[in-house]
Amino acid sequence: MLARQRQAVILEEARRSGAVRVADLVTRFGVSDMTIRRDLDVLAGRGLVEKVYGGATAILGQSTDEPGFEAKSVQQQAQKEAIAELAATLVRPGTAIGISAGTTTWTMARALDAVPGLTIVTNSIRVADVLRESPQPERTVVLTGGVRTPSDALVGAVAVHSLHRLHLDLVFLGVHGMAEGPGFTTPNMDEGETNRALVESGRSLVVLADHTKWGIVGISTIADLEEADVVVTDDGLPDAAREALSARAGELMIASVDEAEDG
């Protein structure tokens, strides 16, 4: 098991039970005490657990916590790059697509330079900036209006009204969290409403979410797991999450992330 996969399982267990013990994890994974402590250091450095004597406790963010774009853009960069490259292969020349706000969708927008003739609708200022700087000349970019959020999304009545009048081939959705029951969620209620309008404008929905989004629940549901025609994630996703998504979403695509095992 790669280090990131082991860390994903440790995080899942910490969130499920509230805490994990180093001794238990050493036995479970058959690795050294030092390896487990390094794993906990990584998770603590990402703000996902709090180290305590003999183990760690989960840090469960509030359902309305909304990190800014800059803070999110430096997290899971390798995973986002791999997901973006894989998701971009779903885009066909000459199609109309929607791209929601988010750092993973922003990364995907940078991978579309080779696809000609696209019409792209987005409520993301960052995504629109990337597309505007693209060398691809045969491209139409539509930026919805709206009120700006901490994640640089444009939301609200203006954005919703414009999206309700559009008909897109594919919608690429970035999410704050995904879980059984709540589905795909966001911590911003206005962004949830706007993203629901974006989802409704598309014939097919592709959700982009790295493995750390599993088990996170924001205050507002954008879509149920069953509404996703495709979920693109990375190979750090725990087996239980893969089973849940495979059973409920249309297709699960796993992006491989090269990483040397530690310990």
Side-chain angles (χ1 to χ4, degrees):
M1 181 179 288
L2 296 176
R4 68 177 181 280
Q5 294 172 319
R6 188 173 58 245
Q7 290 157 15
V9 175
I10 292 171
L11 179 60
E12 182 182 33
E13 177 62 22
R15 287 173 173 166
R16 186 186 65 80
S17 61
V20 290
R21 296 177 64 246
V22 171
D24 293 339
L25 296 173
V26 166
T27 301
R28 177 173 180 176
F29 294 109
V31 295
S32 69
D33 178 283
M34 184 171 294
T35 293
I36 294 299
R37 293 187 185 280
R38 283 202 299 267
D39 288 337
L40 296 179
D41 284 339
V42 170
L43 294 172
R46 286 162 45 193
L48 299 173
V49 302
E50 180 179 357
K51 292 188 69 178
V52 296
Y53 181 77
T57 57
I59 297 176
L60 300 176
Q62 300 297 314
S63 62
T64 55
D65 284 349
E66 185 175 11
F69 184 92
E70 299 299 340
K72 292 190 293 184
S73 66
V74 298
Q75 299 172 344
Q76 287 76 54
Q77 288 178 314
Q79 287 79 9
K80 290 174 182 177
E81 291 284 352
I83 291 168
E85 291 291 337
L86 184 56
T89 65
L90 299 174
V91 182
R92 298 292 176 259
T95 54
I97 67 172
I99 302 178
S100 79
T103 53
T104 309
T105 47
W106 169 73
T107 304
M108 192 203 79
R110 291 154 44 198
L112 296 177
D113 285 347
V115 187
L118 295 177
T119 296
I120 303 172
V121 177
T122 184
N123 69 322
S124 168
I125 297 168
R126 302 283 186 146
V127 168
D129 284 344
V130 166
L131 297 172
R132 179 176 54 82
E133 296 169 359
S134 169
Q136 180 59 249
E138 298 177 5
R139 172 176 292 174
T140 300
V141 179
V142 179
L143 179 63
T144 68
V147 179
R148 189 172 185 171
T149 72
S151 60
D152 282 348
L154 297 177
V155 302
V158 173
V160 170
H161 179 74
S162 63
L163 290 168
H164 277 326
R165 295 176 176 267
L166 298 177
H167 309 281
L168 306 172
D169 298 302
L170 273 177
V171 168
F172 292 89
L173 178 69
V175 298
H176 174 75
M178 55 180 176
E180 292 190 87
F184 303 107
T185 60
T186 174
N188 186 300
M189 288 189 287
D190 288 331
E191 188 164 359
E193 181 184 15
T194 302
N195 280 346
R196 283 193 292 274
L198 179 61
V199 168
E200 290 168 3
S201 73
R203 288 204 298 263
S204 296
L205 173 62
V206 182
V207 175
L208 280 59
D210 70 74
H211 69 272
T212 66
K213 304 295 179 68
W214 183 256
I216 301 296
V217 178
I219 192 172
S220 180
T221 292
I222 303 166
D224 295 332
L225 297 185
E226 291 88 348
E227 294 181 63
D229 295 284
V230 181
V231 176
V232 187
T233 186
D234 65 87
D235 53 7
L237 191 71
D239 289 341
R242 295 190 190 201
E243 292 173 6
L245 287 169
S246 296
R248 301 181 66 181
E251 179 182 358
L252 183 62
M253 297 177 66
I254 305 292
S256 296
V257 183
D258 292 331
E259 181 179 324
E261 166 133 33
D262 66 8

